[in-house]
Amino acid sequence: MVETLTPLELMTKLISFPTVSRDSNLPLIDWVEEYLTSHGITCHRYYDDDENRTVEKAALFAHVGPDQEGAIVLSGHTDVVPIDGQPWDTDPWSVTEKDGRYYGRGTCDMKGFDALAIWALVEAHKRGVKRPLQIALSFDEEIGCTGAPPMINRMLDVLPKASAVIVGEPSMMQAVTGHKGGRGYMTHVKGFEVHSSLLHTGVNAIMYGSKLIDWANDVNAANMAQEPTDVAAQFDPPFTSAHVGVIEGGTAHNITAKDCHFGLDFRVVPGEDPLDWRDRYFAKVRDVEAMMQAVVPETSIELTERFNVPPLVPEENGEAETLVRQITGDNASHKVSYGTEAGQFQERGYSAVICGPGDIAQAHQPNEFCTVAQFNAGHAFMEKLLERLM
C-alpha cells in the first residue's frame, strides 16, 4: 500500500536534508520525486547545468488534474541558508516541537510551505480535481533567486500554462501583493601591495573599497531623508536601500591590501529603475578606480552582477490575489521589502501573490521556527484551496 504522509511528516522529512545553497539539493529532489511518483504523479526536472558550478542541483515541477491551462501553482524553494556560527538549541536538521513552535532550519523559510504544497498535490491527484494544480520547487533562491527563471522557462515548455501562482514565503498567511526588486554586484577591488609605512606608494584595496561602502551609507542617508512616494510609503523601509553584508581582503596588518571583495546590493522600491541605481554605482566605481590608477595604473575595480530580482508589482484585479483573499478573508494591503520568486513568475505572464505560514522575522535565524498555529493555518488554507479546485 502506498504511504501517504501528513504535512508534519513531510516537513520533517524535507528538513532532514541539509540543502544549504552551497551544497547539492539532489537527495531532497530524489526523495520528493520518488514520493510523488509512488502516488502516480509525473514529475519533471530542470538541472543546474552551468559549467562553472561544481555542485549539481535540480528544480522539480509537476501537474495534476486535467491536462489543460489555468492551473494554480504552489511555488517554493528547496534551499536554505547556512547554520554556520549560529547558536542553535536544537538539531537544525530535525523538527523539534516545543512551546507551540516547530523548530528547525526551513520550518519558516520555507520547507513548511513546501511540505504543505506536496501534501496538497497528492490530495488533488487522489480527489480528482477539476481545475489543475501544479507544484514548483526551485533551487538557489537564497543566493539571489537565480534558479527560478530557467525553471519557469522549462515549465512553460513542458506543462500547460498556469494562470496563478502562490509563492509560499512566510507572510503569516496574509496576501502580500508587492515587494521590492533587487540587484546585487560582486565588487573586486584590485590594489597594489607595499609596506604600510610607504602606503602612499601603494593602493590599499580595502581602504579604497571603503569609499564605495561609504557611498552606500550616503545613499541610504539621502534616501531616508526624502519624502517617500505613495508607492514607496507602502514599504518598510519606504526607500531604496544599499547594503554590504560581507567583506574580505588583505594579507597582513603591515601590508596595503592587494584585494578586497564585497557584495553591494540594492533593494529597489517599485517605480524606480534598478538600472538607474546600477548606473549610479558604476559611476562611483569609475571615480574611485581613477583615484587608484592615478597612484598605480595597473590597479582596477571589477564588477560582476550577482543577482537580478524583479519586483512584485501589485496587480489590478489579479487572479492570484483574489483567490488568496477569498480563502483567507484577508483584505488588508501588505507589501514587503524582501525579494521572492513571485516577481519572476509575474514577469513571465503569471498572476502572482505571496502567501505562506510563518513570520519572516524568524527566517535565517538561529532556532528558526514556525508556530504550530501558523503551520495548521497553512494546512487549512490548502484544504480550502482543494475545495475550490473540485
Side-chain angles (χ1 to χ4, degrees), residues 28-247:
L28 180 150
I29 293 295
D30 290 342
W31 184 86
V32 173
E33 182 170 19
E34 181 181 351
Y35 180 74
L36 293 178
T37 301
S38 73
H39 286 275
I41 299 172
T42 300
C43 298
H44 306 272
R45 293 192 188 198
Y46 168 79
Y47 279 95
D48 174 14
D49 57 2
D50 187 335
E51 294 180 357
N52 293 322
R53 295 183 185 271
T54 59
V55 178
E56 195 173 38
K57 302 176 184 178
L60 182 142
F61 51 92
H63 175 109
V64 300
D67 189 24
Q68 63 188 38
E69 295 187 348
I72 304 298
V73 181
L74 300 176
S75 168
H77 59 81
T78 61
D79 58 321
V80 295
V81 297
I83 61 169
D84 304 18
Q86 293 188 333
W88 282 76
D89 297 325
T90 63
D91 178 3
W93 308 119
S94 65
V95 175
T96 301
E97 182 179 354
K98 181 181 178 182
D99 299 328
R101 299 172 175 178
Y102 292 128
Y103 289 91
R105 174 59 88 219
T107 50
C108 175
D109 185 20
M110 59 179 297
K111 289 180 177 178
F113 178 85
D114 293 346
L116 293 166
I118 293 168
W119 177 85
L121 194 75
V122 170
E123 287 298 310
H125 184 63
K126 286 166 53 179
R127 299 181 192 185
V129 291
K130 293 182 174 62
R131 181 177 180 180
L133 184 68
Q134 296 179 1
I135 192 171
L137 300 176
S138 69
F139 59 87
D140 282 356
E141 190 273 348
E142 295 291 6
I143 58 174
C145 297
T146 58
M151 175 193 71
I152 296 169
N153 291 339
R154 185 65 178 149
M155 289 174 65
L156 290 169
D157 289 339
V158 174
L159 302 182
K161 173 72 180 292
S163 59
V165 180
I166 301 171
V167 177
E169 293 282 2
S171 73
M172 298 296 287
M173 296 307 302
Q174 296 172 331
V176 172
T177 58
H179 67 62
K180 292 182 180 181
R183 294 185 84 100
Y185 302 94
M186 288 306 302
T187 304
H188 180 190
V189 184
K190 301 178 182 181
F192 186 80
E193 288 182 313
V194 297
H195 193 282
S196 60
S197 65
L198 301 171
L199 63 87
H200 64 292
T201 64
V203 173
N204 188 317
I206 292 176
M207 295 184 75
Y208 277 93
S210 69
K211 296 179 183 295
L212 298 175
I213 296 173
D214 201 40
W215 174 85
N217 287 326
D218 291 341
V219 163
N220 289 334
N223 287 352
M224 190 181 303
Q226 291 180 348
E227 186 72 23
T229 64
D230 290 343
V231 173
Q234 300 177 61
F235 294 86
D236 182 19
F239 55 84
T240 292
S241 59
H243 178 254
V244 175
V246 175
I247 184 171

